[in-house]
Amino acid sequence: MILEPAPSSRQKGGRFVYVAAVFSALGGLLFGYDTGVISGAILFIEQDFALSSLYIGIVVSAVLIGAVIGAAVGGDLADHVGRRKMILAAALIFALGAIGTAAAPNVFLLILGRIVVGVAIGIASEVAPLYISEVAPAKARGSLVSLNQLAITIGIVVSYLVDYALAPISGWRYMMLLAVIPAAILGLGMLPLPDTPRWLVNHNQPDEARKVLKRIRGSNVDVEKELDEIQQGLKQQKAGRAELLNPLVKPALMIGVALAIFQQVTGINTVIYYAPKIFQFAGVTSSSAAIFATLLVGVVNVVFTVVAILLLDRVGRRPLLLVGLAGMVSSLVLLGVSFYLTSLLGVLGDLATVGLMVYVASFAIGLGPVFWLLVSEIYPLKVRGLAMSIASEANWGSNLIVALTFLTLIQFIGRSGTFWFYAVIGAFAFVFAYLLVPETKGRTLEEIENHWRAGKHPREMGKKAKE
Ligand code: BGC
């Protein structure tokens, strides 16, 4: 069932886009919840199944393995069967995974269930921003797509709260099961929504695409012009992998993959997944204080993502990315210093806490939202899903590597060495972003495509936008 075009007015058109964006962003909520929930749940799972540390590691990382698989298949399928159907599929898989993990009689089925949940996360992580990007008007695309990142951060905080609330009854099965609720809302909410006009045009359904465009833009806007631009853009593209290897499109692919890796190898998830441990390293000895500080990290992440949402379409993507990266590098250096100066132990807890908060805030205004936003907008329509798959795979793969190596890295190069190592990578990311990341603010997806096709340097895109 697809919604018929409503009596159009500009205001209604605008509102419809928000509804579509909010529902698809629920994929982000599940992404955040299901990645965050394990930090508290693992304490009880470990006891129930008497797990060795090897198995603890496997249970914690299973979701990331699933996400690598989901990211690999999700985007290509989204190009073929559609964005909407893939979000519906993700909702169903989320729900099945939640029930399966909650009911798991042994650790093997639990691991399998977490891999299934991961597949849904991998799909949602790329298809939700893709869907929003393709329905949003150019001038609000930054904020609307980043609702997905906001939902991720809210999901993480909710998971911390649920873990905290259910800890007294050791309720890890309930922690897993609760994800069914947002999964059901995501599925039911997406059911009446249409696919994106861009996907419809690409699949020879121009009339349907026109209906959807009228619905989302309202009648006062020149829908024919937008439709024409989408069609013209498509004419210049080859199908499938050939387009990806087009030398004019390659820079976009390279930028997406590099940002994907930088988003992870600058260490964000060592904080998201191991925050209580880092606070304990820093001398916060009571576990309730460590949990409280962790919650605070989650809240700072949400608040600064809101700041990013307010600014992305005004100041642009590049300034936020650069300021955010500078903040991350400085705070990582500070964290390293605070661990290095062990003799000042009393002060250290505070210094490290400040460092961690600044670090998370800097990620939340820059690399967090900007990565998922840019990869949803810089690729040509025919291969957008496929190219996003490649970037998302790089993101989840690097996430897995960081999660698996963090504690070992600490063993070998020490706590300060580890944070300095992330700082050095952050400095490279800054230089890379400064030299190569384009400014997409205010440009339509078709204008962005034309820019690549004209063989221009990525940074010239920003200069044009200012004219
Ligand atoms: C990243 C996740 C991270 C989250 C934290 C996302 O953009 O992809 O790996 O856990 O931000 O807010």
Side-chain angles (χ1 to χ4, degrees):
M1 182 187 66
I2 302 290
L3 284 184
E4 280 302 304
S8 29
S9 76
R10 171 168 282 188
Q11 201 203 6
K12 280 212 167 128
R15 212 182 292 146
F16 180 85
V17 164
Y18 279 92
V19 172
V22 165
F23 272 116
S24 36
L26 279 175
L29 189 89
L30 283 152
F31 166 170
Y33 183 85
D34 272 323
T35 48
V37 75
I38 199 70
S39 64
I42 193 68
L43 304 173
F44 309 108
I45 294 173
E46 184 185 337
Q47 286 167 9
D48 269 14
F49 294 132
L51 297 184
S52 65
S53 48
L54 176 68
Y55 272 99
I56 295 177
I58 299 176
V59 171
V60 172
S61 359
V63 87
L64 300 176
I65 296 167
V68 174
I69 302 170
V73 295
D76 207 3
L77 279 173
D79 281 341
H80 288 104
V81 304
R83 290 38 170 145
R84 171 180 169 274
K85 280 201 187 126
M86 286 312 290
I87 298 183
L88 287 173
L92 187 67
I93 304 173
F94 268 123
L96 292 177
I99 297 168
T101 44
N106 57 45
V107 69
F108 299 105
L109 287 176
L110 177 67
I111 292 169
L112 186 69
R114 287 293 288 171
I115 293 179
V116 170
V117 169
V119 169
I121 296 179
I123 297 173
S125 72
E126 60 197 20
V127 187
L130 186 58
Y131 181 91
I132 305 175
S133 177
E134 289 189 344
V135 294
K139 63 178 177 355
R141 196 176 55 238
S143 313
L144 284 171
V145 173
S146 300
L147 284 179
N148 187 59
Q149 174 71 18
L150 180 64
I152 297 174
T153 61
I154 294 174
I156 293 171
V157 173
V158 172
S159 78
Y160 289 163
L161 287 172
V162 167
D163 282 0
Y164 187 59
L166 292 173
I169 58 159
S170 310
W172 69 266
R173 292 183 190 274
Y174 294 112
M175 297 174 190
M176 302 283 145
L177 190 62
L178 274 174
V180 164
I181 300 171
I185 303 176
L186 173 65
L188 295 175
M190 279 308 291
L191 214 53
L193 295 178
D195 214 306
T196 73
R198 289 176 170 82
W199 184 83
L200 290 166
V201 172
N202 193 21
H203 284 75
N204 296 323
Q205 300 176 51
D207 295 334
E208 196 56 42
R210 181 176 292 109
K211 272 194 205 168
V212 176
L213 264 182
K214 281 194 181 145
R215 177 91 172 104
I216 60 183
R217 300 281 183 262
S219 67
N220 299 337
V221 176
D222 194 352
V223 161
E224 293 307 322
K225 182 167 170 262
E226 189 166 349
L227 208 55
D228 190 52
E229 276 169 12
I230 300 173
Q231 277 161 336
Q232 290 307 325
L234 274 174
K235 276 192 200 142
Q236 301 178 46
Q237 295 172 31
K238 297 192 193 81
R241 286 163 176 77
E243 178 69 11
L244 264 191
L245 297 177
N246 179 341
L248 298 176
V249 176
K250 261 197 206 158
L253 190 64
M254 197 247 322
I255 291 167
V257 169
L259 283 179
I261 298 173
F262 282 136
Q263 200 210 35
Q264 294 300 324
V265 295
T266 39
I268 184 62
N269 285 315
T270 61
V271 178
I272 301 292
Y273 305 159
Y274 294 101
K277 235 192 173 69
I278 299 179
F279 282 117
Q280 279 167 358
F281 289 159
V284 180
T285 40
S286 96
S287 49
S288 63
I291 290 174
F292 179 75
T294 303
L295 254 178
L296 210 60
V297 164
V299 173
V300 167
N301 196 11
V302 174
V303 171
F304 280 85
T305 306
V306 173
V307 175
I309 287 184
L310 296 175
L311 293 177
L312 275 164
D313 290 313
R314 294 182 197 172
V315 304
R317 286 64 161 150
R318 269 178 65 86
L320 287 177
L321 181 61
L322 292 173
V323 169
L325 278 167
M328 284 172 77
V329 173
S330 326
S331 49
L332 283 166
V333 171
L334 178 73
L335 272 169
V337 170
S338 66
F339 285 117
Y340 191 66
L341 300 173
T342 34
S343 52
L344 300 172
L345 209 65
V347 200
L348 276 192
D350 297 342
L351 205 59
T353 308
V354 171
L356 273 186
M357 298 300 167
V358 175
Y359 170 76
V360 169
S362 308
F363 174 85
I365 59 160
L367 205 47
V370 174
F371 159 67
W372 290 111
L373 172 59
L374 280 176
V375 290
S376 77
E377 50 188 21
I378 59 175
Y379 300 120
L381 176 55
K382 275 204 175 147
V383 288
R384 197 167 285 148
L386 178 62
M388 247 193 118
S389 252
I390 297 173
S392 311
E393 248 174 279
N395 188 267
W396 287 109
S398 322
N399 189 338
L400 180 63
I401 292 171
V402 173
L404 292 177
T405 53
F406 175 59
L407 294 177
T408 322
L409 210 58
I410 286 192
Q411 245 174 9
F412 281 98
I413 59 174
R415 291 162 194 171
S416 26
T418 303
F419 289 109
W420 284 334
F421 176 66
Y422 295 142
V424 171
I425 302 177
F428 277 114
F430 182 92
V431 174
F432 176 87
Y434 181 78
L435 295 176
L436 285 169
V437 168
E439 180 55 80
T440 51
K441 178 188 84 170
R443 322 210 80 203
T444 67
L445 297 180
E446 288 66 36
E447 284 168 345
I448 298 172
E449 282 181 23
N450 288 338
H451 181 92
W452 300 126
R453 221 165 291 287
K456 293 186 193 152
H457 190 276
R459 266 183 67 188
E460 278 178 51
M461 203 183 284
K463 290 179 188 137
K464 277 244 158 167
K466 277 185 208 142
E467 273 167 16

